[in-house]
Amino acid sequence: MFTARQKIKKEKEAQPSDLENQVAQALVDLEINNEELRPTLKNLHIVAAREVVVNKSSTAIVVFVPYRLRELFRKTQVRLVCELEKKFSGQHVVLVAKRNIQDKESHHNRKAAKGQVRPRSRTLTAVHEAILEDVVFPANISAKRTRFLQDGTKLIKVELENPYEVSEKLDTFSAVYNALTGKNATFSLPASEE
């Protein structure tokens, strides 16, 4: 009836890894056992999954979803992430849309010669901004600053809203964003007004 292979759509029929099979099987189990998530999970699938080391004692699972299905995942993402974290014994789970970055066009490039322009959403900067929003999804980004240190390194400081849902995941967000983009970022919550 349901198989884990139906929940993974790899490019060029590549074979899924063990982690991807485990995530797909967890999605199938949720679809079978959870009445609330069944209607939405019926039409959803993943593209890839990856494990990211947060610190010495914990790891996070990054699940890549198709770009076209990101809005469907967003509708049930909070509940889905909660259920997946239960299945994976407390590991943090982050859902990120799979996006492509296109190179800059040059005049000798075929597409540029035909008059096609690279869409803004495919630039490196736009993709990294979108990944940042995906990583912190239940929360909203209220402020973002880029700090240049004296040794020449950049540090991105991000302040988040909705602290009740993401307060324990700030280190996970930093590790995942660094693993996906290579940029260092620190996440903070607004000071509580008590």
Side-chain angles (χ1 to χ4, degrees):
M1 186 165 106
F2 294 115
T3 64
R5 190 65 181 112
Q6 293 172 334
K7 289 292 179 186
I8 307 173
K9 302 276 185 208
K10 299 286 283 182
E11 293 179 5
K12 299 179 181 123
E13 298 302 320
Q15 292 300 316
S17 67
D18 291 338
L19 179 66
E20 291 167 347
N21 284 328
Q22 291 173 0
V23 171
Q25 187 59 47
L27 288 174
V28 169
D29 293 343
L30 284 174
E31 185 177 345
I32 292 170
N33 299 327
N34 195 322
E35 292 287 331
E36 185 180 328
L37 293 174
R38 183 177 297 158
T40 55
L41 284 178
K42 182 174 65 173
N43 300 322
L44 300 178
H45 60 273
I46 64 170
V47 177
R50 181 174 160 189
E51 203 165 33
V52 174
V53 176
V54 176
N55 53 36
K56 293 179 181 175
S57 62
S58 64
T59 59
I61 298 173
V62 181
V63 179
F64 293 95
V65 299
Y67 178 76
R68 293 181 180 205
L69 297 179
R70 74 189 185 288
E71 292 301 323
L72 292 174
F73 272 101
R74 288 259 170 110
K75 290 178 183 175
T76 59
Q77 183 168 345
V78 175
R79 176 68 194 251
L80 181 62
V81 166
C82 181
E83 294 294 329
L84 286 174
E85 286 176 352
K86 288 179 192 173
K87 293 257 185 205
F88 290 106
S89 67
Q91 283 182 311
H92 289 154
V93 176
V94 178
L95 298 179
V96 177
K98 179 80 170 136
R99 292 180 168 84
N100 294 325
I101 300 171
Q102 289 183 349
D103 293 337
K104 288 183 177 179
E105 283 92 20
S106 59
H107 292 290
H108 65 275
N109 191 350
R110 247 187 12 214
K111 287 185 178 179
K114 292 181 181 176
Q116 292 180 347
V117 179
R118 172 177 63 161
R120 169 83 173 92
S121 63
R122 301 284 198 287
T123 63
L124 178 78
T125 305
V127 170
H128 285 188
E129 293 292 321
I131 288 173
L132 181 63
E133 291 177 13
D134 284 350
V135 165
V136 300
F137 171 63
N140 297 322
I141 298 172
S142 62
K144 188 174 79 162
R145 296 177 195 85
T146 303
R147 184 172 180 202
F148 294 91
L149 303 175
Q150 286 184 337
D151 61 353
T153 58
K154 284 198 295 188
L155 177 67
I156 301 170
K157 290 187 168 191
V158 181
E159 291 182 16
L160 303 175
E161 296 175 344
N162 301 354
Y164 59 91
E165 295 174 351
V166 296
S167 57
E168 70 278 354
K169 292 186 176 184
L170 298 179
D171 293 337
T172 302
F173 292 162
S174 296
V176 168
Y177 188 68
N178 189 3
L180 296 180
T181 64
K183 295 180 179 178
N184 294 326
T186 60
F187 295 87
S188 63
L189 300 171
S192 59
E193 300 172 7
E194 292 180 10

